[in-house]
Amino acid sequence: AQKVTQAQTEISVVEKEDVTLDCVYETRDTTYYLFWYKQPPSGELVFLIRRNSFDEQNEISGRYSWNFQKSTSSFNFTITASQVVDSAVYFCAGKYILTGGGNKLTFGTGTQLKVEL
Amino acid sequence: SQTIHQWPATLVQPVGSPLSLECTVEGTSNPNLYWYRQAAGRGLQLLFYSVGIGQISSEVPQNLSASRPQDRQFILSSKKLLLSDSGFYLCAWSVPGIYNEQFFGPGTRLTVL
């Protein structure tokens, strides 16, 4: 079974600060796929980034970057120069295949990020 | 580009009443479709998924059912709502394949009184 742990329940930062959201993904699968989603107050889940277990490089996309450490099963997500519009709940999720051909996202419990002026 | 629609956006229903939530996807063919529920406390739980018309798989036993009458239409139903059915219901789609991310609709907030 897969397990996704987001130990941080809530984080508050001041605008322009960098912030890192932690995620630990536990699985026995050797190949797996990890995602970060953002849920603003409107409720819609917005896909942010994807990471595959076999990717070698950590990446940066605009103000977002992620650090995947296979040895510690951590998949941390960093927002650089945070903005008020970044305030939302952020979910880490892992994916595995279901019998019948579909696939399932296992979500962490989310981290509420508050960015204040 | 692909878009996903859900309606209604909000719904207040009495206990024991029926339910029908609809989800449609545009701009893609033969998507995988999913229904999730997000209860208070933020956890998301997969309820149903479908890899094709008429093919429905249930993840957890419950008071709900799902149907896929058309390729890009996914319906969540109940004959008699329970108080515990209250929550935020999210529909999602993905291109078939483990690699691909799921894209979520705007959600339906259901309150059962």
Side-chain angles (χ1 to χ4, degrees):
Chain A
Q2 289 71 21
K3 183 180 179 183
V4 180
T5 303
Q6 293 180 256
Q8 303 156 307
T9 304
E10 186 172 318
I11 300 175
S12 291
V13 299
V14 176
E15 198 175 37
K16 297 185 183 178
E17 287 184 351
D18 298 346
V19 57
T20 296
L21 308 178
D22 299 333
C23 174
V24 174
Y25 181 66
E26 299 172 53
T27 179
R28 293 182 179 176
D29 296 339
T30 55
T31 300
Y32 47 90
Y33 306 86
L34 302 172
F35 304 81
W36 277 96
Y37 285 85
K38 172 183 178 181
Q39 187 175 39
S42 62
E44 182 175 351
L45 275 168
V46 179
F47 165 71
L48 296 175
I49 53 115
R50 173 184 62 209
R51 184 68 162 80
N52 310 317
S53 59
F54 47 83
D55 285 345
E56 295 294 330
Q57 300 294 327
N58 290 309
E59 298 181 38
I60 297 174
S61 176
R63 294 189 299 112
Y64 299 153
S65 63
W66 47 101
N67 186 302
F68 176 62
Q69 296 291 333
K70 201 166 186 176
S71 59
T72 57
S73 301
S74 66
F75 181 48
N76 297 335
F77 178 66
T78 297
I79 302 173
T80 303
S82 60
Q83 301 173 2
V84 173
V85 294
D86 295 328
S87 297
V89 180
Y90 288 81
F91 289 94
C92 178
K95 181 186 278 193
Y96 65 96
I97 298 173
L98 296 162
T99 55
N103 52 78
K104 175 180 179 178
L105 284 174
T106 299
F107 285 86
T109 51
T111 298
Q112 171 77 61
L113 173 64
K114 294 183 178 179
V115 181
E116 300 168 335
L117 293 171
Chain B
S1 63
Q2 299 86 11
T3 55
I4 178 169
H5 304 278
Q6 282 186 248
W7 63 91
T10 60
L11 192 59
V12 180
Q13 291 285 96
V15 170
S17 63
L19 172 74
S20 181
L21 303 182
E22 190 164 341
C23 170
T24 58
V25 181
E26 296 177 355
T28 187
S29 296
N30 196 31
N32 286 347
L33 297 172
Y34 310 85
W35 277 111
Y36 287 85
R37 177 169 58 200
Q38 186 177 28
R42 307 189 212 140
L44 284 110
Q45 180 185 41
L46 178 65
L47 302 176
F48 301 95
Y49 69 95
S50 172
V51 299
I53 296 174
Q55 301 178 58
I56 308 294
S57 297
S58 173
E59 273 294 286
V60 292
Q62 60 215 318
N63 186 42
L64 303 168
S65 62
S67 62
R68 185 171 176 173
Q70 300 180 41
D71 181 44
R72 290 168 290 177
Q73 184 184 30
F74 206 22
I75 297 172
L76 184 68
S77 304
S78 174
K79 292 182 179 179
K80 288 186 178 181
L81 283 169
L82 305 172
L83 286 174
S84 58
D85 292 325
S86 294
F88 190 51
Y89 289 82
L90 289 154
C91 181
W93 74 274
S94 71
V95 174
I98 182 80
Y99 183 80
N100 300 301
E101 56 270 21
Q102 293 179 15
F103 297 97
F104 287 79
T108 295
R109 197 164 300 280
L110 172 66
T111 303
V112 182
L113 302 175

